[in-house]
Amino acid sequence: TNPQKKSAPQPSDPCKGCREIIDNVIERYSQTWKKKEDNYQNFRSQLNSKCRGFNKAIITQANTPVGSKLVYDGEKRRSLQVTPAIFSTFVKEHPFSNKTWGTCAVVGNGGILTNSSCGQTIDSAQFVIRCNLPPLKNGYEKHVGIKTDLVTANPSILVEKYGALMGHRRPFVDSLYTYGNSLLLLPAFSFGHNTPVSLRAAYTIEDFGSPIKPVFFNPEYLQRLAVFWRSQGLRAVRLSTGIIMASLALELCADVHLYGFWPFSTHPHGFHPLTNHYYDDRKTKMKFHAMPAEFDLLLRLHSQGVLRLHLGDCR
Ligand code: CTP
């Protein structure tokens, strides 16, 4: 072996400049967090009036009748007219109308949750939101919990892991049992190619009598939310699922707690290397998302006492 030859960088090598970012975060991350009711109410009412997630986040038979035009939020020139067949896959009533939860936990998939022992704390929330059908069993429960009231599914997962639901569908249905009778939220009308696979997911769930309840993001809500965050200074091609769910939680819950949000490859306290997810080291698509910039905005809300970001272990 050539001693001069450097070993290839490991996927989870501590990032360059991470130390400065982390020092800055620690400075802004107050350990004695306190909710600031005025700031929370103010931010919440801005979201309520500009995005209307409480009754617009999800497509229903009430807010999207047959014949309405859905404009894809990821492909502005594409739209779809709602046919009776598509309409029949919509839930009747909005699951969040006239509802407020006390404590909500929004669980991102960051590697910061590895060995965090945050499972019990997360599960003690009244409403638990998870992103992208994450694994919860086989040792992860202790650190991420198991309770799920809402879980999102990016259709790319259905394509990669379940053959786009074109062949056998039981493996998909079996995998959903982990999430019990939660809501399964799909961005069916964000890009044209999302629609057929999302509809197949809904049909599969119905045909197999799975207890999970498929629902679709309203593209109009996603569009309004993108405009809202742009007005807060966020420049990203697409919002990440995590910031979308944190925004929705702020409309629906009195106390919003975020776990697993840390888009850096070094732990903020132990400074040890982290994988991107708590279950693998697959990287985020940086050309779509601006997760460090999103994190910065979430940290700002933490400092303002609007929501609480958890970066430490829960022991
Ligand atoms: N997340 C984070 N830090 C990480 C990994 C994820 O803050 N190291 C947050 C992001 O807000 C992300 C969410 O957790 O949206 C869910 O993670 P993941 O499943 O990795 O999302 P992506 O597949 O990267 O992207 P998308 O947001 O498009 O679903």
Side-chain angles (χ1 to χ4, degrees), residues 107-112 130-134 152-154 156-157 238-244 259-265 274-280 282-285 288-289 291-292 294-295 298:
V107 189
N109 290 330
I112 193 169
R130 301 184 189 271
C131 305
N132 293 327
L133 298 173
T152 68
N154 205 322
S156 63
I157 305 169
R238 299 278 304 162
L239 296 177
S240 78
T241 305
I243 200 166
I244 294 170
Y259 300 85
F261 284 71
W262 179 251
F264 308 108
S265 55
L274 292 174
T275 49
N276 186 36
H277 295 139
Y278 68 79
Y279 48 87
D280 69 20
R282 206 174 154 161
K283 300 296 177 206
T284 299
K285 289 191 192 114
F288 289 124
H289 298 315
M291 282 188 199
E294 287 184 357
F295 180 83
L298 295 173

Side-chain angles (χ1 to χ4, degrees), residues 50-51 76 220-235 239:
K50 292 184 180 146
C51 307
K76 302 289 152 21
E220 190 188 322
Y221 168 69
L222 295 177
Q223 178 57 28
R224 282 168 179 252
L225 199 57
V227 171
F228 173 81
W229 280 111
R230 215 171 296 143
S231 77
Q232 304 282 308
L234 187 65
R235 301 268 165 269
L239 296 177

Side-chain angles (χ1 to χ4, degrees), residues 21-30 33 229 243 258 261-262 264 291-311:
I21 296 170
I22 293 170
D23 286 347
N24 174 275
V25 171
I26 297 294
E27 212 180 295
R28 293 162 64 199
Y29 183 78
S30 147
W33 183 90
W229 280 111
I243 200 166
L258 307 187
F261 284 71
W262 179 251
F264 308 108
M291 282 188 199
E294 287 184 357
F295 180 83
D296 199 69
L297 289 165
L298 295 173
L299 183 60
R300 194 161 86 193
L301 295 178
H302 172 92
S303 307
Q304 291 168 348
V306 172
L307 53 71
R308 184 161 186 185
L309 196 52
H310 293 263
L311 297 181

Side-chain angles (χ1 to χ4, degrees), residues 32 46 60 69 71 91 133 199 204 221 225 280 282 309-310:
T32 48
Q46 280 189 58
T60 67
K69 193 170 116 177
V71 179
V91 276
L133 298 173
L199 293 177
T204 303
Y221 168 69
L225 199 57
D280 69 20
R282 206 174 154 161
L309 196 52
H310 293 263

Side-chain angles (χ1 to χ4, degrees), residues 6-24:
K6 274 199 168 167
S7 60
Q10 293 303 299
S12 48
D13 259 0
C15 61
K16 283 198 190 74
C18 255
R19 196 67 192 235
E20 283 128 77
I21 296 170
I22 293 170
D23 286 347
N24 174 275

Side-chain angles (χ1 to χ4, degrees), residues 94-256:
H94 205 278
F96 310 137
S97 297
N98 308 316
K99 277 212 181 112
T100 348
W101 283 277
T103 306
C104 295
V106 182
V107 189
N109 290 330
I112 193 169
L113 280 171
T114 303
N115 295 324
S116 66
S117 301
C118 285
Q120 263 186 11
T121 321
I122 290 172
D123 284 354
S124 69
Q126 207 182 346
F127 197 80
V128 180
I129 300 175
R130 301 184 189 271
C131 305
N132 293 327
L133 298 173
L136 305 176
K137 299 208 168 139
N138 301 324
Y140 296 122
E141 291 107 314
K142 181 170 188 253
H143 307 292
V144 305
I146 189 88
K147 183 180 191 303
T148 308
D149 295 283
L150 188 160
V151 61
T152 68
N154 205 322
S156 63
I157 305 169
L158 308 182
V159 174
E160 285 163 28
K161 283 178 96 173
Y162 304 104
L165 301 174
M166 299 294 275
H168 285 291
R169 292 160 306 147
R170 191 174 291 282
F172 171 61
V173 174
D174 286 349
S175 74
L176 295 176
Y177 278 103
T178 311
Y179 313 104
N181 61 358
S182 62
L183 293 168
L184 173 69
L185 182 49
L186 297 141
F189 307 102
S190 287
F191 293 94
H193 59 253
N194 284 3
T195 306
V197 67
S198 301
L199 293 177
R200 282 197 296 279
Y203 295 141
T204 303
I205 288 163
E206 196 187 323
D207 294 352
F208 281 75
S210 176
I212 205 163
K213 297 180 280 276
V215 287
F216 305 132
F217 267 118
N218 188 343
E220 190 188 322
Y221 168 69
L222 295 177
Q223 178 57 28
R224 282 168 179 252
L225 199 57
V227 171
F228 173 81
W229 280 111
R230 215 171 296 143
S231 77
Q232 304 282 308
L234 187 65
R235 301 268 165 269
V237 180
R238 299 278 304 162
L239 296 177
S240 78
T241 305
I243 200 166
I244 294 170
M245 298 326 293
S247 312
L248 188 57
L250 281 168
E251 282 199 53
L252 307 175
C253 321
D255 295 298
V256 176

